[in-house]
Amino acid sequence: MDEYESSALDDVFAALAHPTRRQMLVLLENQGSKVTDLAARFDCSLNVASKHIQSLERAGLVRRERHGRVHRLSLDPAPLADAAAFIERYRVRWERQLGRLGNYLDRLAKERKTPPVKNSRKTHHDPDHPRSPHRPAVFPSGVSRLRGLDPT
Amino acid sequence: MIPTTHEARIVRQFSHPVSLVYEAWTQPKHIEQWLRPAESIRLSVKEFNFREGGEYFFDYVWADGAKPVRGKFLRIVPEQSLIFSWVPQPPDPDAGAETMVSVFFRAEGEKRTEVEVLHTLFPNAPMCDCHNQGWSGALTLLSALLSKRQHINPINH
C-alpha cells in the first residue's frame, strides 16, 4: 500500500502550497484524468500545468500511467501518512513537555515562596489590593519580584 | 493511528497564575528546563530574540544525535498567546518540514491557568497574511484527504 518511502514531508507541503495544485488534487480525487484534459481545466499554458503536475508527482501525490501517447493521472494520498506520523509524534512530544512544565512550575513556585536570604526584605505589598490596576506595584530596588507571584 | 487532522492539539491545566506560566514559556533559562520530551534530552537556547519577527534557535541533543530547531516569533500577546514557527534543522530527519506552534493561555481565576498548544503543519510558503488563505486551504484539503484515506483503510485503535 505505502510505496512512498521518502520522508520528504516538505515536498508534500510544497506541493499543497499552490492553489492550482490543490485544485488539481480535488479534480483527481473523484476520478483519474488525462494530462491534457486536466490542463485544459486551468487558465494556464500546457507547459505551466505540466510543471504543477510534476510538483505533485514529485511529492508522490499523483501517479502517471502511460498508454502510448496518452498519459493518465490519478491521486495517491499515501504520502499524507508521513504528515500524519509527524503529527502523532509531536502530539506525544507535547504531552511529555507539558508534563515537565507542570513539575517545573511546581518547583519554581515553591522556590519563590521561600526566597533566599538576600531577597527576603519585606516588600510593600497591600494584601487587600493585590492586583488593582490603579495602584501599580512599586517594589524596592534590588528585590526581584514578578507580578502575580504574591503568596496570597 | 492516523489522525484526521493536520495538527496536534494538547490542552492542559496548571494550578499556577498565568503570569508564572507565561514567564516559563518566554525566558530561556526556564525553557531549557522543561521544553524537552525527556530528562535525558538536553536543550540549550542559543538564540532568543523575543519580539514579533525575532528568531530563536533551540539546540536539542537527543541520545541519537542533534536535532536543532529554528523558528520565528510571529505573534506575541503577553499572557494570552504566542505563535511561532517551528522548523526542524539538519541532521534531524524532519528537517525541511515547516510547522507552526500556537499557544493560548487562559487565566482561570488567580491561581489556575489553562494552556492550549496547537502544533500545525503548513506548506513552505512565505509567512505573511496574504498567504493565510493559501495554507489554510492546503490544510483543509489535507484533512479531507486524510479522512478519506482513513475511510478507505480503516485503522483499528
Side-chain angles (χ1 to χ4, degrees):
Chain A
M1 176 181 73
D2 272 329
E3 292 166 83
Y4 184 80
E5 287 173 1
S6 163
S7 63
L9 209 51
D10 47 341
D11 279 350
V12 175
F13 287 94
L16 289 174
H18 197 283
T20 299
R21 295 195 288 270
R22 288 200 297 278
Q23 191 60 35
M24 285 178 163
L25 290 177
V26 169
L27 290 171
L28 289 171
E29 204 178 343
N30 296 319
Q31 56 176 13
S33 169
K34 286 197 280 185
V35 172
T36 44
D37 290 349
L38 185 67
R41 304 282 295 267
F42 295 89
D43 189 19
C44 62
S45 68
L46 181 61
N47 193 31
V48 169
S50 287
K51 287 266 159 51
H52 285 310
I53 292 166
Q54 281 164 23
S55 164
L56 292 168
E57 287 184 274
R58 196 159 47 241
L61 289 164
V62 161
R63 302 202 166 274
R64 182 192 296 252
E65 280 175 61
R66 293 176 178 81
H67 303 284
R69 294 182 61 177
V70 179
H71 290 195
R72 282 197 69 83
L73 302 171
S74 58
L75 177 75
D76 182 357
L80 295 172
D82 270 5
F86 183 97
I87 289 162
E88 177 59 14
R89 229 169 29 249
Y90 267 95
R91 194 189 60 73
V92 171
R93 179 169 175 166
W94 279 111
E95 292 236 355
R96 291 182 182 165
Q97 286 171 168
L98 293 183
R100 291 179 58 82
L101 173 61
N103 295 338
Y104 181 68
L105 288 172
D106 292 347
R107 214 170 73 211
L108 198 60
K110 212 173 185 175
E111 276 172 17
R112 290 187 182 180
K113 274 180 185 165
T114 52
V117 178
K118 63 173 181 175
N119 280 350
S120 65
R121 199 145 50 108
K122 211 174 170 62
T123 57
H124 301 281
H125 175 63
D126 181 349
D128 291 333
H129 301 89
R131 281 189 172 204
S132 168
H134 307 296
R135 294 163 52 92
V138 178
F139 304 110
S141 62
V143 176
S144 165
R145 285 182 85 263
L146 274 147
R147 187 163 66 79
L149 296 177
D150 316 321
T152 47
Chain B
M1 286 295 283
I2 294 181
T4 54
T5 63
H6 56 268
E7 65 195 3
R9 178 175 177 271
I10 309 285
V11 180
R12 184 123 355 163
Q13 271 89 23
F14 299 97
S15 35
H16 296 283
V18 67
S19 53
L20 184 68
V21 178
Y22 184 77
E23 185 195 338
W25 274 87
T26 53
Q27 291 189 13
K29 64 177 179 188
H30 298 319
I31 291 169
E32 286 179 344
Q33 296 300 315
W34 70 266
L35 193 61
R36 299 181 279 148
E39 188 61 37
S40 59
I41 295 164
R42 279 174 293 135
L43 164 63
S44 50
V45 175
K46 291 285 168 68
E47 203 180 312
F48 200 80
N49 189 1
F50 190 61
R51 58 171 178 82
E52 288 184 359
E55 295 202 349
Y56 68 86
F57 187 87
F58 292 165
D59 197 8
Y60 280 102
V61 182
W62 292 52
D64 57 348
K67 293 182 184 176
V69 176
R70 181 176 280 289
K72 189 183 270 190
F73 297 105
L74 304 174
R75 188 136 171 73
I76 297 171
V77 184
E79 300 189 4
Q80 287 183 34
S81 61
L82 289 177
I83 301 178
F84 48 94
S85 59
W86 177 280
V87 187
Q89 303 292 306
D92 187 335
D94 285 329
E98 283 196 37
T99 71
M100 184 173 80
V101 179
S102 311
V103 188
F104 301 96
F105 303 87
R106 297 184 197 99
E108 296 180 338
E110 292 275 309
K111 288 183 165 183
R112 285 182 65 81
T113 307
E114 182 179 82
V115 174
E116 178 180 0
V117 176
L118 294 173
H119 198 128
T120 314
L121 287 165
F122 63 96
N124 293 317
M127 282 180 296
C128 66
D129 284 341
C130 57
H131 281 87
N132 276 350
Q133 211 177 358
W135 64 263
S136 69
L139 296 176
T140 307
L141 181 70
L142 172 63
S143 299
L145 292 175
L146 282 172
S147 53
K148 187 172 176 178
R149 179 185 154 81
Q150 194 169 38
H151 181 68
I152 295 166
N153 305 305
I155 307 295
N156 295 321
H157 290 278

